[in-house]
Amino acid sequence: MKCPFCADPNTQVTDTRENEDGDVVRRRRRCVKCDKRFTTYERIDLKMPHIVKRNGNRTEFDHAKLAGSMKLALRKRPVTIEAIDAAVDRIEARLLAMGEQEVPSEKIGELVMKELKKLDKVAYIRFASVYRNFADVDEFAEVIREVQTRPRRGKADKGGADPGHDLFGG
Ligand SMILES: [Zn+2]
């Protein structure tokens, strides 16, 4: 801790005490160089990590957006909105607990699939094969729409594209 008076990096802690809730630590310090006294308050700082997309861009974790994507994935499935919100809460808690400043978007994908597996096996199976191909929540929503609008009929155009072709990037 740098002294605020002379900027010397060497300060001594002369007293340490927590507040009643134990979430703020108050420290009395003395500068070794100029002998001035000052107090610092240290607080636990829990922040959501930034999500790093595959292209290297960083984005904020968006609870509402992820919940919206999961709702799309679970459309017409017997899963309540409350259960989906609780799943997104768990994903958020896991990300916080990692204590990292940045988390790759693939990690979110894994957590989403884990929750989807618990919520609804049918939806899980539907998305398990494609989840590795989405790089962020926006792409997840796109994948969901594509999977849900993909025609079931097996009409094979000669030399035509496989409807899943774009999803698998091949
Ligand atoms: Zn000083």
Side-chain angles (χ1 to χ4, degrees):
M1 183 64 66
K2 216 161 64 171
C3 168
F5 303 101
C6 73
D8 194 273
N10 299 307
T11 55
Q12 269 179 358
V13 175
T14 58
D15 186 38
T16 297
R17 52 185 76 169
E18 287 183 358
N19 73 340
E20 274 181 21
D21 297 333
D23 57 357
V24 177
V25 174
R26 173 186 176 278
R27 290 201 165 97
R28 286 293 293 160
R29 293 170 186 267
R30 185 180 69 82
C31 175
V32 173
K33 196 177 166 197
C34 71
D35 203 39
K36 289 208 167 72
R37 320 286 163 112
F38 60 98
T39 305
T40 57
Y41 296 88
E42 293 162 31
R43 176 185 292 277
I44 295 166
D45 186 18
L46 266 186
K47 267 193 202 147
M48 280 300 285
H50 280 93
I51 313 305
V52 185
K53 299 186 188 189
R54 272 192 216 165
N55 63 12
N57 288 346
R58 281 155 185 76
T59 179
E60 304 273 336
F61 178 84
D62 188 331
H63 183 110
K65 203 183 240 184
L66 185 56
S69 292
M70 288 190 73
K71 277 168 200 164
L72 267 180
L74 292 159
R75 205 174 53 166
K76 293 181 184 169
R77 298 300 309 158
V79 178
T80 63
I81 285 170
E82 287 77 15
I84 295 171
D85 275 333
V88 177
D89 282 345
R90 281 195 293 273
I91 291 171
E92 208 167 341
R94 288 286 300 277
L95 291 171
L96 265 182
M98 288 169 74
E100 302 287 342
Q101 289 193 315
E102 297 183 340
V103 170
S105 58
E106 288 87 346
K107 184 73 200 170
I108 315 278
E110 278 172 34
L111 294 174
V112 166
M113 292 314 294
K114 228 175 240 175
E115 290 297 335
L116 214 47
K117 191 175 190 175
K118 278 190 263 181
L119 287 171
D120 186 78
K121 286 277 190 294
V122 171
Y124 171 73
I125 290 163
R126 196 186 291 162
F127 294 105
S129 59
V130 292
Y131 93 93
R132 281 179 203 285
N133 294 292
F134 71 84
D136 56 54
V137 172
D138 293 332
E139 280 188 35
F140 181 49
E142 276 168 38
V143 166
I144 288 162
R145 283 191 203 97
E146 284 186 57
V147 169
Q148 286 179 344
T149 57
R150 188 190 295 175
R152 289 251 158 191
R153 64 210 151 81
K155 184 184 153 198
D157 303 334
K158 35 185 181 314
D162 161 25
H165 182 84
D166 288 337
L167 286 178
F168 294 97

